[in-house]
Amino acid sequence: MSRNLQSDMGIYQELGLQDVIVATGNFTELGGSLMPEEVLEAMQVAARSFVNIQALHERAGQVIADLTGAEAGYVTSGAAAGLVLGTAACMTGSNPAAIHQLPDTDGLKNEIVIHKAHSNNYNRMFRLAGAKVKEVGYGAHRTLPWQLESALDERTAAIVYVVAQFLVSQTALPLPEVLRIARAKGVPVIVDAANELPPVENLRKFIEMGADLVIFSGGKDLQGPQPSGFICGRRDLIEACALNGAPNHGIGRPMKVGKEEIVGLVAALKRYVRLDHQARIARWERQISLIVDGLSDIERLRVSRVFPDYTGRPVPRAWLTWDEETVSRSKQEVLDALAKGSPIIRVLEEYAGKGLLIDPSTLLAGQEAIIVERLRTIFAG
Ligand SMILES: *Cc1c(COP(=O)(O)O)cnc(C)c1O
């Protein structure tokens, strides 16, 4: 394993914090992701000279455009900021009076239409820009095309379409159908694909399908700076994002990215498209087989490999379920026992509520053995 993946907890221990093994995939509250050496180096170099930020944003946007196939791109302080700026852009365009007016949206197109089945904590980002949220569909049951069609009117700023594995009921209309309905009404579609890497092909997929704007997180599988991400898509809308964002004094001014983050995100993106993704998957597969094999003899515990996840991301994971009555351990007790040990181990609660998942994409080499050992102790006791 290369040096850049070694965990050096010294600085956190000095602050009285414990080591954490992250077997959940990338979560902001667990530190997001670890930056590889070439990203860290790019940020260090960037930190040593002044630069015109506007011009740097333009050059970085060009790299994003080239690697996503979009007309234009813009670096944001995370995908959540991309949702704020994308929403703002669809409300204001490049009209300086409208940009100045936000978050007051009187007289502007100011509704974000979203499937009820897609609504999540990040809906607040639309309201932060001043938009109102209009939900469509029957939620977990289903959504009918007329429900989306009839929700679009002269107040609609954009449709936001969320692609995320945490959406357990994938009952929204398929994206191609949403794009067709939106186009007929002249409404832009923003795709929140923040966590939809891997596969690397997704960098281009939603743009190719015809989405007007697509948002990715830089601090998840891209392994860029934690407070980074990008938005890409139609040139006029990306220009409007930039006008609303720092260093301009729009609604996005407090969501600025520094030169270090801009350069770091670009380095991470360039690295990501060159990575040997098959080799990464093969490494994850080895870690998952070690976990599945290491736990297979525990009576009453069912362990299997699941692949892919709800949105088709190619990450093999170990899935643990057991009968809480016969094993006399609730899911919460197991989560607590993992979180209270040293090092702390964090695994994922399966979103549909059935057992626990171990995601290897954030594991360092060898940590799978520590997880097996801890789970054997928990289930033996
Ligand atoms: C993680 C995530 C975000 C936020 O991404 P940040 O880069 O942390 O701001 C937004 N939407 C979805 C679906 C996500 O998974």
Side-chain angles (χ1 to χ4, degrees), residues 26 28 77-83 120 122 162-166 192-196 215-220 226-229:
N26 307 105
T28 296
S77 61
L83 291 169
N120 66 75
Y122 294 105
V162 185
V163 188
Q165 52 149 323
F166 63 69
D192 177 1
N195 196 28
E196 291 310 296
I215 292 166
F216 286 98
S217 180
K220 293 182 176 171
Q226 180 45 199
S228 76

Side-chain angles (χ1 to χ4, degrees), residues 5 49 52 68 78 90 94 98 102 107 158 168 188 194 200 245 261 304 357 359:
L5 284 181
S49 327
N52 179 319
T68 59
C90 292
S94 53
L102 291 190
V168 176
V200 63
E261 281 81 31
S304 57
L357 285 170
D359 183 323

